């Protein structure tokens, strides 16, 4: 592994590999550092990804790594633990140094952060063990697979009523479990009643399973409601602790007054407030689907190449001007 690259991409899932593909095809030297922890790892299949509908996340990653390798992109397993600005050889004033968990230090002219997000889940015993299988969050990602089944929706946020209605479009056997009665006003309750949704107020004490299969939930009073699937909102939090040396942190994301996630702030092409550091995917857009993250990575990779082209041009013009002045 060389000590210096044009671009280091942090994260080897859809956004990161898409950025790397564009950059590799543009003849940039690229290193992808992949921790091997994609957000969708628990899921059996990735959906709404045109041309690869239902592909296993691990298989999609393997295909992507093979594709970028064909253009000279290097992919290494590891985790970035620190990043800082540095001065590199050459006329480009922008440069970065990153440290891997192996202790290795690598430099690059630009960084693409595609480290994704971590889903923080409701603290209900048994829920995390079923995450991505019997417990789901997105009707677009998992809805078809649980259509017409007995679906529970754990309401933990002010947007919970809408979440319930999204799953009601997939099955006529939906039960809303409302952890705090204040989360549903009269209008929301009337809407659920009109659609035939049962509402249970009070805590869910446990998610029940038999082997790999979710079977229901146990309520606070000890009673059991049989289910085939449970939907719940997670809180996506951006993986960005390693960027503190660059002064970059994730900011709270709001729906009205409700903070539902954290994310890096970027402009339309993925540029962060730090010159030369770009980002794409769920690290910037927590609700983005897989194909949207891939598209964002493609756009950001193109923007990074354009940035480097301009830097190379500026350096060439400065060299030419210097040569002219000595004649």
């Amino acid at each position: 592994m060389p000590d210096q690259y044009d671009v280091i991409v942090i994260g080897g899932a859809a956004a990161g590999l898409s950025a790397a593909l564009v950059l590799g095809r543009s003849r940039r030297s690229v290193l992808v550092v992949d921790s091997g922890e994609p957000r969708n790892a628990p899921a059996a299949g990735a959906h709404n990804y045109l041309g690869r509908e239902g592909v296993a996340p691990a298989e999609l990653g393997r295909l992507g790594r093979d594709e970028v390798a064909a253009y000279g992109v290097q992919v290494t397993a590891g985790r970035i633990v620190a990043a800082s600005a540095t001065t590199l050889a050459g006329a480009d004033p922008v440069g970065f140094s990153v440290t891997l968990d192996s202790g290795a230090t690598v430099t690059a002219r630009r960084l693409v952060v595609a480290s994704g997000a971590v889903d923080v889940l409701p603290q209900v015993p048994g829920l995390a063990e079923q995450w991505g299988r019997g417990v789901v969050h997105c009707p677009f990602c998992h809805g078809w697979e649980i259509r017409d089944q007995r679906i529970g929706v754990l309401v933990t946020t002010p947007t919970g009523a809408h979440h319930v209605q999204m799953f009601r479009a997939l099955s006529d056997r939906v039960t809303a479990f409302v952890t705090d009665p204040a989360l549903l006003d009269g209008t929301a309750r009337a809407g659920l009643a009109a659609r035939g949704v049962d509402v249970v107020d009070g805590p869910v004490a446990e998610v029940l399973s038999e082997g790999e299969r979710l079977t229901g939930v146990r309520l606070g009073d000890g009673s059991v409601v049989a289910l085939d699937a449970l939907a719940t909102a997670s809180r996506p939090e951006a993986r960005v602790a390693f960027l503190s040396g660059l002064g970059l942190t994730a900011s709270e994301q709001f729906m009205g007054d409700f903070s539902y996630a954290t994310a890096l702030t970027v402009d339309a092409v993925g540029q962060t407030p730090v010159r030369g550091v770009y980002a794409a995917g769920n690290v910037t857009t927590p609700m983005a689907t897989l194909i949207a993250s891939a598209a964002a990575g493609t756009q950001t990779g193109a923007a990074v190449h354009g940035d480097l082209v301009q830097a190379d041009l500026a350096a060439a013009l400065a060299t030419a001007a210097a040569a002219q002045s000595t004649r």
Side-chain angles (χ1 to χ4, degrees), residues 4 86-92 94 107 109:
Q4 184 173 325
T86 191
T87 301
L88 303 178
D92 192 339
V94 180
T107 59
R109 297 170 65 190

Side-chain angles (χ1 to χ4, degrees), residues 205-221:
E206 185 182 5
V207 173
L208 304 175
S209 301
E210 290 182 1
E212 295 294 313
R213 184 174 65 88
L214 183 146
T215 59
V217 296
R218 190 185 311 281
L219 304 179
D221 63 6

Side-chain angles (χ1 to χ4, degrees), residues 44 121 222 229 264:
L121 304 177
L264 277 181

Side-chain angles (χ1 to χ4, degrees), residues 112-286:
V112 174
V113 180
S115 48
V118 174
D119 287 296
V120 179
L121 304 177
Q123 294 298 300
V124 177
L127 187 149
E129 290 79 1
Q130 280 287 342
W131 180 243
R133 300 192 304 276
V135 176
V136 302
H137 74 296
C138 173
F140 304 109
C141 303
H142 309 286
W144 175 263
E145 286 66 38
I146 60 173
R147 67 194 186 283
D148 297 326
Q149 297 183 23
R150 298 170 298 177
I151 303 172
V153 183
L154 185 60
V155 177
T156 60
T157 74
T159 61
H162 177 68
H163 205 206
V164 176
Q165 295 287 8
M166 295 290 280
F167 281 95
R168 174 60 184 85
L170 298 160
S171 175
D172 59 6
R173 296 185 290 169
V174 175
T175 302
F177 299 94
V178 185
T179 58
D180 180 354
L183 292 172
L184 295 184
D185 60 18
T187 300
R189 288 178 182 272
L192 296 178
R195 292 287 282 150
V197 174
D198 293 328
V199 177
V200 177
D201 288 299
V204 171
E206 185 182 5
V207 173
L208 304 175
S209 301
E210 290 182 1
E212 295 294 313
R213 184 174 65 88
L214 183 146
T215 59
V217 296
R218 190 185 311 281
L219 304 179
D221 63 6
S223 61
V224 171
V225 179
L227 298 171
D228 301 303
L230 179 69
T232 185
S234 67
R235 175 180 167 81
E237 296 190 349
R239 292 180 171 133
V240 294
F242 58 90
L243 296 175
S244 60
L246 293 170
L248 284 172
T249 59
S251 59
E252 299 287 332
Q253 306 296 297
F254 289 92
M255 291 182 181
D257 295 330
F258 172 64
S259 173
Y260 70 92
T262 66
L264 277 181
T265 299
V266 295
D267 67 11
V269 297
Q271 170 73 59
T272 73
V274 175
R275 172 83 173 85
V277 180
Y278 294 76
N282 285 158
V283 74
T284 71
T285 314

